[in-house]
Amino acid sequence: MPFRVWPDMGPPGEIRYALIWRPPSGMLATLPNLKAILVLGAGVDSALDDPTLPAGIPVIRLLGAGMEDPMAEYAMYAVLHFQRHMHAYPRQQRDAVWRRIPWALAGEWPVGVMGLGVIGGFIADRFAACGYPAAGWVRGPRRQEGIEVFAGKERLKDFLARSRVVVNVLPLTAETEGILDAAAFAAMPRGSYVVNIGRGAHVVDADLIEALDSGQLGGAMLDVFREEPLPASHPYWRHPKVIVTPHAAAPTIVDAAERQIIGNVERLERGEPPLGVVDRAQGY
Ligand code: OXD
């Protein structure tokens, strides 16, 4: 199959499959014979954001595609960092202070994962396997062996209240935008932690900073932001309780993504349903 790299795509009518990550708004609408839109990532919020996105064409996302492991590594690192006070020891070292900070064992440190899709479910299993009481919050009813599942908006508060740390991997939709706000932080135990590897817009930034400053939250490790790159003037960069990483939790793994995308194009060519089709109304 000929493969063209935008903007050198030749006659737009020849393009049948578009592999995208944040294309300019309106670009896909110029392709009259498009059969499928394949997103080169797990999150499709930016693709669905385009009001000119052609209707009736499947939008397909990556399902894990090897990103589960690096995402889980990031989440594990963040949780261990906070659980074992690795954020506090550098301050002590600076002043040559020899003081052991008491910590809770994994079994006494409940971890909550927001989103139990391919990636979130994998992360929750990792925590459970390492002995953390692991729970997940999801939109609708779901079961996952060994994971306490809280389903629906009405269970969100209970989920937050039992979590010493919340790891967010939700898809960004109209329903989840700003879900990590002042009310959510207030529901968490005092001094707990937030790890965001979902999307920046899940967090109400001013509320997070306020919760950190008041001591309601002990710290946050953030990989995703409303504006990326995070502007140099943003208070997160210099906040003593925030660790900023540059959307680095899990890059798209080329080999695995390639296999999944080629598999889906082959399915479409055979007239079979592809895997990972996004429900546009639902937003993921
Ligand atoms: C993704 C991402 O959605 O990189 O894959 O954020």
Side-chain angles (χ1 to χ4, degrees):
M1 234 180 218
F3 186 82
R4 311 220 178 112
V5 180
W6 184 85
D8 298 323
M9 62 179 173
E14 287 181 13
I15 305 299
R16 291 190 301 137
Y17 299 101
L19 278 56
I20 61 153
W21 183 252
R22 298 179 193 277
S25 177
M27 193 273 275
L28 294 168
T30 66
L31 310 176
N33 296 317
L34 206 55
K35 278 181 74 172
I37 297 163
L38 299 118
V39 180
L40 297 168
V44 293
D45 42 292
S46 62
L48 299 186
D49 231 14
D50 179 353
T52 67
L53 193 70
I57 295 174
V59 176
I60 301 169
R61 66 194 186 94
L62 291 179
L63 287 179
M67 280 183 270
E68 307 91 315
D69 266 305
M71 292 288 274
E73 282 169 14
Y74 186 106
M76 286 306 295
Y77 174 79
V79 165
L80 284 164
H81 184 88
F82 291 129
Q83 178 211 350
R84 299 302 305 265
H85 300 297
M86 293 303 161
H87 52 307
Y89 284 120
R91 288 198 288 275
Q92 293 196 178
Q93 179 167 351
R94 202 184 45 211
D95 302 326
V97 173
W98 181 274
R99 186 174 69 90
R100 193 178 297 143
I101 305 173
W103 76 92
L105 297 172
E108 295 155 10
W109 223 68
V111 175
V113 179
M114 297 184 77
L116 286 181
V118 177
I119 291 173
F122 184 89
I123 293 175
D125 282 345
R126 271 280 168 89
F127 282 117
C130 291
Y132 293 90
W137 182 78
V138 279
R139 208 169 150 257
R142 164 169 333 206
R143 290 175 68 84
Q144 185 167 331
E145 176 98 19
I147 307 299
E148 193 184 353
V149 178
F150 294 74
K153 272 265 154 77
E154 55 292 351
R155 301 296 319 280
L156 181 59
K157 224 170 150 191
D158 294 340
F159 163 82
L160 294 166
R162 54 72 68 200
S163 301
R164 289 291 282 119
V165 57
V166 161
V167 177
N168 174 49
V169 277
L170 284 169
L172 181 63
T173 67
E175 261 180 78
T176 63
E177 217 238 283
I179 193 165
L180 291 170
D181 61 1
F185 303 138
M188 295 175 69
R190 192 163 175 84
S192 44
Y193 302 90
V194 168
V195 179
N196 191 15
I197 46 177
R199 285 290 183 258
H202 285 127
V203 173
V204 178
D205 295 329
D207 292 2
L208 177 58
I209 289 171
E210 161 73 31
L212 291 164
D213 289 345
S214 72
Q216 172 57 20
L217 291 182
M221 195 176 296
L222 309 174
D223 190 49
V224 284
F225 304 91
R226 284 177 184 260
E227 188 182 341
E228 294 182 8
L230 183 65
S233 60
H234 200 285
Y236 282 151
W237 282 116
R238 276 160 287 275
H239 198 288
K241 287 175 149 183
V242 174
I243 298 171
V244 168
T245 54
H247 203 135
T252 296
I253 316 268
V254 175
D255 284 355
E258 198 175 83
R259 276 195 300 278
Q260 210 174 91
I261 287 169
I262 291 172
N264 268 334
V265 170
E266 286 172 346
R267 272 186 205 93
L268 287 157
E269 290 288 295
R270 289 194 299 262
E272 293 167 15
L275 306 178
V277 177
V278 170
D279 177 334
R280 290 203 197 189
Q282 207 165 265
Y284 62 95

